[in-house]
Amino acid sequence: MTLPTPRAPFDGPVPALRWGVIGAGGIAGRFVDAVRAHTGQQVVAVAARSAERATAFATTHQVPRACTPAELLGDPAVDVVYVATPHNVHAEWAIAAAAAGKHVLVEKPIATSADEARTITAAARAAGVLVMEAMWTRYLPQFDILRHLLADGALGDVVGVAADFGFAAPYDPSSRMRSPDLAGGALLDAGVYPISFASAVLGPPSTVSAVGRKLTNGVDLYASAVLGAATGAAAHITTSIVAELPTRATVVGTTARLEFRRPFYAPTELVLTRRQDGRAVTETWTDDAFTDPYSGLSHEATALAGYVAEGRVESPVHPHEETIAVLATIEQVRAQLTVVDGP
């Protein structure tokens, strides 16, 4: 067996869409820099909470225009809106962008709840525009290799998935990650990655069993869960904002095992292990296309432009139904966590 070569999402060129960005934080800057350096997409405007933030961002990241969100949404020169605000207002701006006739890429998580996600996707369908969650992992070459192996049955019957993502955030009760008003907590900030990974392999879980801790204000600190699939396979996921986790992922089948090295959600290395003549044989694939891993954010921008050209209203590799199901799983995990005293 040889690891397949990742396939490009499109055979031909994609249109150069004009992008507006709502939000001026770190992920917005990384996205804009990646798009400018590695795609033909054009970032033409940025909007933020204050004129000063928008202007500073535009200067730093060479965006031609800084404006208010209302001005950006009303600008006929903007084709796509990238929502990179805190989680709690993702739905607000995504719905507004769709109503303005713009295609929308919403930073993960697309919303703070499954119900919010349903409202976003319904608004986009009603407006006839494409909306997709910026789960960039789905658009990286390594994920196409995984899709190819699963489709070909190269791993055999999948019996297990393991994935984790967590970090020790400095304790600050006033920070976004600790704020219920800003949709803080481990599951929405980091846990969405391993849960989405498990979903891509096994589909939505038929059972969810979780342990962990959440504060009295509802903000979850860490969680581990077993997500059971109808096939009998299970995914083990862990997330945290109080402890450093390995940030790896593994898919185990009856004939082979595929490991994603740290960090599994970004451009990384894959190791395929199988048995041959009574011994373990490994093959390795490394994504060395970029020196800066965040350059990989460019893939999701290219994918969106291609989907728009095809007339789609959702991503074929990350459809709305699955995006909503992942948030529903997060809600089930959070509901089972033990409440501990804390701000």
Side-chain angles (χ1 to χ4, degrees):
M1 182 191 304
T2 300
L3 280 166
T5 300
R7 301 160 292 191
F10 306 98
D11 294 331
V14 299
L17 301 181
R18 299 165 299 181
W19 293 66
V21 178
I22 298 180
I27 190 61
R30 286 166 169 164
F31 177 83
V32 170
D33 290 348
V35 167
R36 288 185 60 254
H38 302 291
T39 79
Q41 304 302 299
Q42 303 170 17
V43 181
V44 298
V46 60
R49 291 191 304 268
S50 70
E52 292 77 13
R53 280 178 61 85
T55 299
F57 185 97
T59 300
T60 300
H61 299 283
Q62 301 178 48
V63 178
R65 182 182 177 212
C67 58
T68 67
E71 290 170 337
L72 187 149
L73 294 180
D75 188 348
V78 173
D79 303 312
V80 188
V81 173
Y82 170 53
V83 178
T85 61
H87 309 334
N88 62 307
V89 289
H90 282 184
E92 174 187 346
W93 291 118
I95 293 166
K102 313 297 186 186
H103 304 291
V104 196
L105 178 67
V106 189
E107 192 48 59
K108 62 80 198 164
I110 194 171
T112 62
S113 69
D115 282 345
E116 274 192 353
R118 291 187 187 98
T119 302
I120 292 170
T121 57
R125 285 189 177 278
V129 298
L130 182 145
V131 65
M132 72 185 211
E133 184 179 50
M135 180 56 68
W136 65 313
T137 309
R138 295 295 180 100
Y139 306 96
L140 296 175
Q142 69 218 35
F143 226 83
D144 188 65
I145 292 175
L146 172 61
R147 282 190 290 265
H148 198 148
L149 292 173
L150 292 173
D152 291 348
L155 304 179
D157 295 329
V158 175
V159 298
V161 174
D164 66 85
F165 181 21
F167 44 84
Y171 177 72
D172 179 359
S174 65
S175 71
R176 176 185 65 81
M177 288 185 188
R178 294 266 182 164
S179 170
D181 294 334
L182 297 179
L187 282 161
L188 288 176
D189 210 80
V192 64
Y193 281 109
I195 292 175
S196 182
F197 183 91
S199 172
V201 179
L202 298 177
S206 55
T207 62
V208 176
S209 178
V211 295
R213 296 289 185 269
K214 61 185 176 184
L215 301 174
T216 53
N217 62 11
V219 172
D220 54 284
L221 301 177
Y222 61 91
S224 293
V226 178
L227 312 179
T231 60
H236 295 74
I237 67 97
T238 306
T239 188
S240 173
I241 56 170
V242 295
E244 291 288 337
L245 299 180
T247 316
R248 297 190 179 100
T250 305
V251 181
V252 179
T254 53
T255 59
R257 179 178 74 248
L258 185 68
E259 297 171 83
F260 289 63
R261 296 286 172 82
R262 174 186 177 92
F264 77 86
Y265 61 83
T268 189
E269 183 175 83
L270 300 180
V271 180
L272 180 69
T273 302
R274 57 191 173 87
R275 301 294 294 181
Q276 181 175 303
D277 299 327
R279 62 189 182 89
V281 177
T282 64
E283 299 176 47
T284 301
W285 175 89
T286 303
D287 187 349
D288 55 5
F290 304 122
T291 55
D292 174 11
Y294 285 103
S295 293
L297 291 165
S298 61
H299 292 300
E300 63 186 359
T302 299
L304 184 144
Y307 299 153
V308 167
E310 293 176 343
R312 297 181 183 273
V313 294
E314 61 185 311
S315 165
V317 301
H318 195 198
H320 294 164
E321 183 179 357
E322 187 185 357
T323 302
I324 294 166
V326 166
L327 283 165
T329 300
I330 286 174
E331 291 170 354
Q332 291 181 71
V333 172
R334 189 188 294 115
Q336 297 180 42
L337 305 183
T338 300
V339 177
V340 295
D341 289 338

